[in-house]
Amino acid sequence: MGSAPTSTDSSELIDELRDLEDLKSAISARQARAAVAFDLAQRAEQADAGVPASERGPGVAAQVALARRESPNRGSRHLGLAKALVTEMPRTMAALESGQLNEWRATLLVKETACLSVEDRAAVDEELAPDAGTFDGAGDKAIVSAAKAAAYRRDPRSVAQRASHAATERTVSLRPAPDTMTYLTALLPVAQGVAVYAALTRTADSVRSGGDSRTRGQIMADTLTERVTGTRGGVSGIDLNLVMTDRTLFQGDSEPARLEGYGIVPSEWARALLVEGQPGSEDQDHRVQDPTEGTESAGRRELKVLLRRLYTAPGSGELLTMDSKARLFPQRLRRFIQIRDHTCRTPYCDAPIRHIDHVIPWHAGGSTHRDNGAGLCEACNHTKENPGWAATSKPGGSADVHMLQVSTPTGHSYQSKAPPLPGQRPTRLGN
């Protein structure tokens, strides 16, 4: 398909775009059917192996995710969507197969009916009948509103219970934004969220009326930081790990640095954060946590700056560290692996690291060493313990950095490499 010549006629190009969109929807529907069939096949194989019915199914969503080159979290959502469409919502599935709905809109309908019983969900599916053109010309908000209204008419108690349960899912998350910024997001019950926003707004209006030149949004952001951290204009008692080369720090090199929990940052920004004592730079690390070296400290505008040295192997830039005879990773070695891996090392998963785990289990003879250690999120660490899953690691050499290979119960293998550190040239998988 990619080698076919593209038309130069405007009308034909629009027709082609529509045909391709319909094809994408049909492929999504086919993927949903394949995912459900795979789930049934895995459960049948586990039943034949004597696995109790209550314990069948773990690891299926993770395998779906790897096959789709997605994170385990998205794999679980894809499998849940597939089950709902194939087994409970045939009209929505028909609309997806015919191109009248795309995968995202089908997801919206599934999400808004998730609290219903199988019978009520099927009734809402029949009432809305997306394959009959119910949502032609409608936007996403209109689809959500129609699904919510239909769900409430069928089972108002379940919808109310869902709203009540939502308060238990309150949380705070962090994700990178462009230009060394970040999104700090709080999911709160509506009353609490409105109260927090109102308090920040009142403070901003009061400060601006006193002649402060900052914008309203800037004052709200600064106030939030100060009230949460307890430090005016900065961070107190928080360990921020800034990974950078000595050339960037001392010689003004343009090689970017890496801030743990965020990602790549410009070299000038990193030097300002570390050397100039920019607000928020307390307890910073230079390069990475060193399992064998001590620390040096220096005062910068009343901020404590920690320089932690670590040496890399010539050529590859692979981090060097020590071995341990302990079953559990020592704290410094844990921090070393966490900074090396940056995020969960399962292929396609970039969730925050929660566990430092032995790649080859300790009880199977795996050593407590940097090459046999990997940073994983909680879900991936539990998944790899399921029957049929295996992992191996490959230490860095003259051309490679640490590589993790994950094998699934179906015999498929997937690889991931530790992300390159500042000053280290990226390598290709398989090299």
Side-chain angles (χ1 to χ4, degrees), residues 147-232:
K148 281 183 175 180
Y152 189 79
R153 286 194 296 269
R154 291 287 170 181
D155 191 352
R157 176 176 295 182
S158 293
V159 175
Q161 289 177 342
R162 175 184 174 183
S164 177
H165 174 74
T168 66
E169 299 177 341
R170 59 190 182 277
T171 187
V172 177
S173 60
L174 185 74
R175 58 190 177 93
D179 304 323
T180 65
M181 301 292 283
T182 189
Y183 294 106
L184 176 66
T185 305
L187 178 63
L188 301 172
V190 62
Q192 296 178 14
V194 170
V196 170
Y197 189 81
L200 294 174
T201 300
R202 285 196 301 270
T203 300
D205 291 341
S206 175
V207 171
R208 279 181 59 82
S209 65
D212 196 301
S213 61
R214 291 175 294 172
T215 66
R216 193 164 182 254
Q218 289 171 343
I219 296 174
M220 292 172 68
D222 294 344
T223 302
L224 176 64
T225 301
E226 292 169 9
R227 291 183 177 178
V228 172
T229 64
T231 302
R232 182 175 177 80

Side-chain angles (χ1 to χ4, degrees), residues 242-258 267 271 274 286-288 421-424:
L242 183 64
V243 185
M244 61 195 304
T245 66
D246 53 354
R247 299 183 302 278
T248 296
L249 177 61
F250 297 114
Q251 301 176 15
D253 193 88
S254 60
E255 177 71 35
R258 191 179 77 190
S267 58
R271 281 192 295 272
L274 183 63
H286 164 54
R287 286 187 72 84
V288 297
L421 290 166
Q424 179 181 343

Side-chain angles (χ1 to χ4, degrees), residues 61-62 65-66 69-78 347-351:
L66 288 168
R69 298 180 180 176
E70 300 269 22
S71 70
N73 180 270
R74 290 183 66 88
S76 179
R77 281 186 280 168
H78 283 310
Y348 311 117
C349 182
D350 56 2

